[in-house]
DNA sequence: CAATATATGCGATAGAGTTGCAATAAGCAG
DNA sequence: CTGCTTATTGCAACTCTATCGCATATATTG
């Protein structure tokens, strides 16, 4: 590993610790690494995937607790439920009530973020209701599975 | 119970059996009653609720199998996941790719169908993708919980 | 009504997620 | 840097949803 990349890793590590503390979370090694995984991959992650990607050893329960703490603090949010797995992601590509949609293939289970797909909602929720977030999941067939069905 | 309502129950029962057979499903007593519950309540139901509402005795596993069979046949569909519970409903108020949205309160977990809330999506999924259904879940606070937060 | 294929009951099992408790480590004052 | 305080972690047990294998029951068909 070069000096350069080592420096950028250090900087990144400090940035992540800062982000944790800004959100009222103690910057532990486990939390820093889990949060780093979200930044490095840029993809939605479930507890299972996180466990497999971790260099540092972390207990299952700790990862679940970290994901819950992050969600409560707003550092991540739950993107969608894939089968029985809860899948989380950074809320960076979401603004206010319009979160980006996700796609899920009903045949193979493949999922993807839909960055260019826009969803406009209109209507009233009723007196007293407050909308904070809008989750959209498009279900259908992915390219591989449409081929197979021909 | 009056003659009238008994007649209408009978008619309803025959209609439900017919609907099951039309969709390639054997019209068993268990299936008929579960499907009747969806029609009678008109509400989204989870396995737990169904178990509690059943007059007829049905095993847990059977209810799960019935819900899976109904979903595969398109008689019902999964509306959303409430915590760990899968919640199903009749697809009657959905047309093509535009299913009606649902609301979920992040504080108390209360959920509701949003009949008057319209969602228009635009954009392309990419070559080979086929969109079949669009699930929308609005998360926020219900009237009871907005009161409490004041 | 009998034959056949499917659905159900029952018990065991899988798997995601949570919890209690003792040990550990982060944050902070000195 | 050091020790104190408190939040976090590891571990194991546990909860709960959902699934599965297999023997039995039941719907459908002729
Ligand atoms: Mn996403
Ligand atoms: Mn609904
Ligand atoms: Zn696919
Ligand atoms: Zn509420």
């Amino acid at each position: 590993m070069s000096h350069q990349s080592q420096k950028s890793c250090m900087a990144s590590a400090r940035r992540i610790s800062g982000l944790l503390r800004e959100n009222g979370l103690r910057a532990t090694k486990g939390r820093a690494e889990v949060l780093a995984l979200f930044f490095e991959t840029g993809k939605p992650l479930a507890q299972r995937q996180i466990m497999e990607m971790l260099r540092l050893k972390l207990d299952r329960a700790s990862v679940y607790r970290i994901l819950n703490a992050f969600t409560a603090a707003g550092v991540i949010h739950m993107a969608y439920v894939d089968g029985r797995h809860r899948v989380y992601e950074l809320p960076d590509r979401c603004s206010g009530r319009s979160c980006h949609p996700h796609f899920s293939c009903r045949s193979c289970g493949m999922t993807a973020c839909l960055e260019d797909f826009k969803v406009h909602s209109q209507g009233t929720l009723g007196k007293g209701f407050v909308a904070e977030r809008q989750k959209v999941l498009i279900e259908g067939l992915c390219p591989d599975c449409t081929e197979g069905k021909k």
Side-chain angles (χ1 to χ4, degrees), chain A:
Chain A
M1 192 185 273
S2 72
H3 275 285
Q4 288 258 348
S5 67
Q6 206 158 14
K7 262 186 194 172
S8 83
C9 281
M10 298 289 282
S12 171
R14 219 178 305 155
R15 196 166 55 89
I16 283 175
S17 295
L19 185 56
L20 286 169
R21 278 184 281 258
E22 280 168 32
N23 288 89
L25 296 164
R26 285 196 181 183
T28 66
K29 289 179 184 175
R31 286 177 176 176
E33 186 160 344
V34 172
L35 186 51
L37 287 177
F38 279 101
F39 279 108
E40 287 163 16
T41 65
K43 290 179 183 173
L45 298 173
Q47 186 268 354
R48 197 117 205 254
Q49 294 170 271
I50 292 170
M51 284 299 284
E52 289 167 359
M53 299 172 78
L54 281 173
R55 298 167 175 276
L56 177 65
K57 266 184 201 161
L58 263 184
D59 190 71
R60 285 181 333 115
S62 300
V63 174
Y64 280 116
R65 281 188 278 230
I66 287 171
L67 292 172
N68 287 340
F70 282 10
T71 303
V75 175
I76 60 174
H77 65 197
M78 202 210 295
Y80 55 90
V81 177
D82 178 26
R84 298 188 199 174
H85 315 284
R86 300 176 189 177
V87 181
Y88 299 86
E89 69 183 353
L90 294 170
D92 56 356
R93 282 164 296 182
C94 301
S95 61
R97 299 180 188 178
S98 71
C99 292
H100 67 268
H102 292 93
F103 176 87
S104 177
C105 176
R106 72 162 154 84
S107 176
C108 69
M110 161 266 176
T111 57
C113 299
L114 299 176
E115 310 285 355
D116 302 328
F117 205 83
K118 299 300 171 193
V119 176
H120 304 279
S121 55
Q122 72 185 83
T124 175
L125 288 178
K127 198 176 172 77
F129 283 93
V130 177
E132 292 176 338
R133 204 178 148 213
Q134 179 176 292
K135 282 187 191 170
V136 179
L137 184 65
I138 310 287
E139 290 179 337
L141 292 171
C142 76
D144 289 350
C145 295
T146 35
E147 288 263 338
K149 301 277 154 137
K150 268 180 189 169

